């Protein structure tokens, strides 16, 4: 009797193995940017690697461009299990109660990708991803986009140029403080609504890496963009924890490998994608692209770094200090 039930069990398992190929595990991966961006391309790369390496047992359905959900909704959808994977900007985790991610929004905290990677690819990054566990979310990786530029219908070179401008921001209190420090009025708005808001004058300007400006055509409705590189915008790739924890072990291992390689791909292309889109924006002739002199850069940095101190109580002084130590941050440079 016992033997027969074991045999039946083995048969059922074999059948479920067969059924898996016909009836794959589906990962719905929703994001808000265009396909032709660092995140859009990396999501496609993850899909390709995940499907190849699980031999079709996993199917990744990527939904770009806010097709399925907008910023705030996508995080709710992930927690409810309506989608399994997202890669929101690090500036969008505050409303979830994970304020520490806003450390990445501090103006000028990273001078370049190498400094940033000391944090995202090291122990600080791992501990930050761990903070998502209690929200029913598993953090898998950090993907780069790049350094942000400012835009408006007037040239923005000096801190006083921002006075009174309505500037669209992501839902981060650090970005709110950044804009207020410059005398601007920050307006939180979903990414999918920014183009129209700029076009109709609901907001006067915004900030984003060049890849987001170009692929959303925001530069077509802004007369000036200044290359300030004043802050970083990147992503945490996250999954519904319950979904992830209940995956068959071999599938999870294959997906972890696919994510590791997709992350390398994402971070390898991010800089050249953004550099290419600065060129594309210049070539379009729709926006005048401005650069700052060394003195202008210094003045903007001096105006914005007090935001670090101001945000200590929200983000945690210890975390900010740990990042300074890792990157050698110097406010006076
Ligand atoms: C934004 O809302 O400006 C960005 O977070 C969009 C993105 O995902 O890059």
């Amino acid at each position: 009797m016992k033997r027969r039930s074991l045999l039946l069990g083995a048969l059922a398992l074999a059948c479920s193995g067969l059924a898996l190929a016909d009836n794959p595990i589906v990962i719905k991966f929703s994001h808000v940017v265009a396909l032709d961006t660092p995140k859009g391309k990396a999501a496609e790369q993850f899909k390709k690697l995940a499907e190849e390496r699980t031999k079709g047992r996993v199917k990744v359905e990527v939904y770009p461009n806010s097709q399925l959900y907008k910023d705030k909704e996508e995080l709710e959808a992930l927690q409810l299990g309506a989608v399994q994977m997202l890669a929101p900007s690090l500036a969008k985790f505050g409303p979830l109660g994970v304020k520490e991610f806003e450390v990445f929004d501090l103006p000028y905290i990273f001078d370049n990708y190498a400094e940033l990677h000391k944090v995202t690819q090291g122990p600080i990054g791992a501990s930050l991803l761990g903070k998502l566990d209690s929200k029913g979310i598993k953090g898998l990786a950090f993907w780069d986009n790049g350094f942000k530029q400012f835009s408006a219908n007037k040239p923005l070179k000096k801190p006083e140029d921002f006075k009174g401008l309505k500037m669209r921001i992501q839902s981060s209190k650090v970005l709110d403080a950044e804009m207020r420090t410059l005398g601007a009025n920050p307006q939180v708005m979903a990414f999918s609504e920014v183009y129209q808001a700029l076009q109709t004058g609901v907001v006067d300007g915004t900030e984003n890496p060049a890849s987001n400006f170009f692929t959303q055509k925001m530069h077509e409705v802004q007369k000036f963009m200044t290359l300030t590189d004043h802050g970083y915008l990147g992503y945490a790739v996250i999954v519904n924890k319950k979904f992830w924890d209940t995956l068959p072990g071999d599938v999870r291992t294959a997906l972890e490998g696919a994510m590791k390689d997709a992350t390398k791909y994402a971070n390898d292309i991010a800089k050249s994608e953004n550099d290419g889109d600065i060129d594309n924006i210049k070539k379009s002739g729709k926006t005048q692209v401005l650069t700052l002199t060394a003195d202008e850069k210094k003045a903007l940095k001096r105006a914005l770094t007090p935001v670090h101190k101001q945000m200590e109580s929200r983000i945690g002084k210890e975390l900010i200090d740990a990042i300074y130590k890792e990157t050698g941050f110097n406010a006076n440079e």
Side-chain angles (χ1 to χ4, degrees):
M1 190 62 196
K2 203 169 166 199
R3 205 153 134 221
R4 219 172 84 203
S5 66
L6 265 178
L7 272 174
L8 282 175
L11 195 68
L13 250 181
C15 288
S16 76
L18 284 178
L20 270 179
D22 280 347
N23 195 6
I25 299 166
V26 175
I27 297 180
K28 289 191 176 167
F29 185 164
S30 171
H31 69 79
V32 299
V33 296
L35 280 175
D36 202 14
T37 56
K39 176 162 67 179
K41 288 187 173 177
E44 292 303 319
Q45 180 72 358
F46 172 71
K47 170 185 167 67
K48 177 173 166 280
L49 297 177
E51 291 179 352
E52 269 169 22
R53 292 181 191 177
T54 59
K55 302 192 171 44
R57 286 169 74 196
V58 169
K59 186 166 182 287
V60 182
E61 294 174 0
V62 182
Y63 298 92
N65 252 322
S66 310
Q67 223 173 71
L68 213 51
Y69 297 108
K70 298 200 276 189
D71 292 330
K72 200 160 142 302
E73 303 157 3
E74 69 173 18
L75 277 160
E76 287 159 10
L78 184 84
Q79 286 182 299
L80 292 171
V83 292
Q84 288 69 38
M85 187 174 282
L86 308 172
S89 154
L90 300 166
K92 292 178 183 166
F93 286 80
L96 203 70
V98 192
K99 301 172 193 158
E100 293 88 342
F101 279 42
E102 292 179 4
V103 78
F104 292 99
D105 301 327
L106 289 173
Y108 294 106
I109 190 162
F110 305 107
D111 279 337
N112 50 52
Y113 287 96
E115 280 185 12
L116 166 84
H117 290 161
K118 289 186 184 165
V119 175
T120 52
Q121 312 304 321
I124 300 177
S127 119
L128 284 171
L129 290 180
K131 295 199 183 293
L132 297 168
D133 282 12
S134 64
K135 309 289 173 195
I137 293 173
K138 166 107 184 125
L140 296 180
F142 289 101
W143 284 358
D144 286 340
N145 187 339
F147 291 87
K148 291 179 291 184
Q149 322 301 348
F150 282 121
S151 76
N153 285 321
K154 60 180 270 198
L156 299 174
K157 295 194 115 182
K158 301 186 208 73
E160 43 289 17
D161 296 335
F162 292 76
K163 220 178 201 96
L165 292 185
K166 278 180 278 166
M167 298 292 281
R168 180 268 171 175
I169 56 163
Q170 306 171 80
S171 62
S172 156
K173 294 287 185 239
V174 170
L175 300 179
D176 184 280
E178 170 197 279
M179 292 299 184
R180 286 185 198 284
T181 297
L182 294 170
N185 299 319
Q187 312 263 325
V188 174
M189 188 179 288
F191 184 64
S192 55
E193 288 160 16
V194 183
Y195 173 85
Q196 211 187 353
L198 290 170
Q199 189 187 35
T200 55
V202 167
V203 290
D204 301 309
T206 191
E207 57 166 22
N208 234 305
S211 58
N212 278 344
F213 273 103
F214 185 69
T215 55
Q216 299 295 323
K217 300 187 168 40
M218 289 178 202
H219 65 291
E220 295 188 2
V221 288
Q222 291 278 268
K223 294 204 174 83
F224 297 92
M225 170 185 286
T226 315
L227 303 181
T228 47
D229 290 333
H230 62 278
Y232 171 74
L233 191 153
Y235 310 106
V237 189
I238 57 178
V239 279
N240 178 293
K241 189 167 182 327
K242 199 156 148 216
F243 166 79
W244 192 253
D245 289 345
T246 49
L247 284 173
D250 60 332
V251 168
R252 194 167 49 240
T253 304
L255 292 180
E256 278 164 1
M259 184 52 67
K260 190 163 174 260
D261 293 348
T263 299
K264 180 165 178 354
Y265 169 84
N267 297 352
D268 282 350
I269 64 166
K271 185 171 183 320
S272 58
E273 290 287 317
N274 278 297
D275 288 348
D277 283 337
I278 291 178
D279 287 343
N280 285 334
I281 291 170
K282 284 182 183 162
K283 271 188 226 140
S284 78
K286 308 254 183 198
T287 306
Q288 208 175 319
V289 178
L290 309 171
T291 50
L292 297 181
T293 63
D295 280 348
E296 284 168 337
K297 225 175 212 170
K298 230 184 231 168
L300 195 59
K301 185 170 176 180
R302 207 173 302 130
L304 282 171
T305 37
V307 173
H308 293 208
K309 191 127 209 89
Q310 217 177 310
M311 287 290 117
E312 267 177 4
S313 59
R314 179 168 172 87
I315 296 166
K317 184 174 179 339
E318 249 174 54
L319 175 59
I320 298 176
D321 284 345
I323 292 183
Y324 284 178
K325 199 163 158 224
E326 205 63 63
T327 63
F329 175 82
N330 178 354
N332 304 314
E333 249 174 17

